[in-house]
Amino acid sequence: MSSAQVSAELALSKATVDVQISDRNAKTGVTTRTTLVHTTYVTGQPPRPELITPALVADEVEREILWRPALSAELAKTGRRCHYSANAVGKRLRALRKQWNASNNPHLVTLAWQYGVLDDSRGPAGFAARSPTRR
């Protein structure tokens, strides 16, 4: 949901919701709400969404493109992995949102988890992805 939708549902101000999201992003070391969604699913907070069957089918390129917002990868980097231009990756991502009726990228990542396309195999993003260092 958008910050406005969350604030309306929880009877909070939009600013409060934005601050909470920003704080959570800082704690996990991510920069986007989309990456935060993926990272929290990988770490089990909140619980992972239940799988939907039958699952929507995603080909190999679509799977790789779906990892882009989950791990906050740049379009150009994803394009190199898929042998596409950054523009083509963006178009395919928009087409997936439309095909899966996702309202935004965080919703798309949630659906990808529900359909079993994304999982914890590549780990979380941000600080949560790094192993602790010794001092």
Side-chain angles (χ1 to χ4, degrees):
M1 291 190 277
S2 69
S3 293
Q5 291 168 319
V6 171
S7 67
E9 185 167 314
L10 298 178
L12 299 170
S13 74
K14 180 183 174 297
T16 299
V17 172
D18 287 338
V19 166
Q20 292 297 318
I21 295 290
S22 178
D23 286 350
R24 189 67 174 160
N25 283 358
K27 286 180 183 178
T28 57
V30 301
T31 56
T32 68
R33 187 179 296 216
T34 305
T35 307
L36 179 62
V37 168
H38 173 71
T39 298
T40 57
Y41 288 152
V42 169
T43 58
Q45 29 172 330
R48 296 173 181 171
E50 292 191 30
L51 290 176
I52 295 174
T53 53
L56 287 179
V57 177
D59 65 29
E60 188 176 326
V61 171
E62 290 170 335
R63 286 177 180 274
E64 190 62 41
I65 288 171
L66 285 164
W67 279 104
R68 188 208 73 77
L71 296 176
S72 197
E74 297 174 6
L75 290 174
K77 181 179 177 181
T78 303
R80 285 190 297 275
R81 288 181 66 113
C82 299
H83 306 288
Y84 283 109
S85 69
N87 188 41
V89 171
K91 285 181 181 178
R92 295 277 306 256
L93 189 59
R94 287 187 296 277
L96 280 167
R97 278 197 309 263
K98 186 175 181 178
Q99 176 187 347
W100 289 14
N101 295 315
S103 54
N104 51 36
N105 280 349
H107 186 206
L108 184 64
V109 165
T110 298
L111 290 171
W113 270 83
Q114 288 179 302
Y115 294 130
V117 175
L118 295 182
D119 55 28
D120 60 3
S121 64
R122 295 191 189 182
F127 298 132
R130 299 184 195 127
S131 43
T133 58
R134 290 186 171 180
R135 292 189 183 230

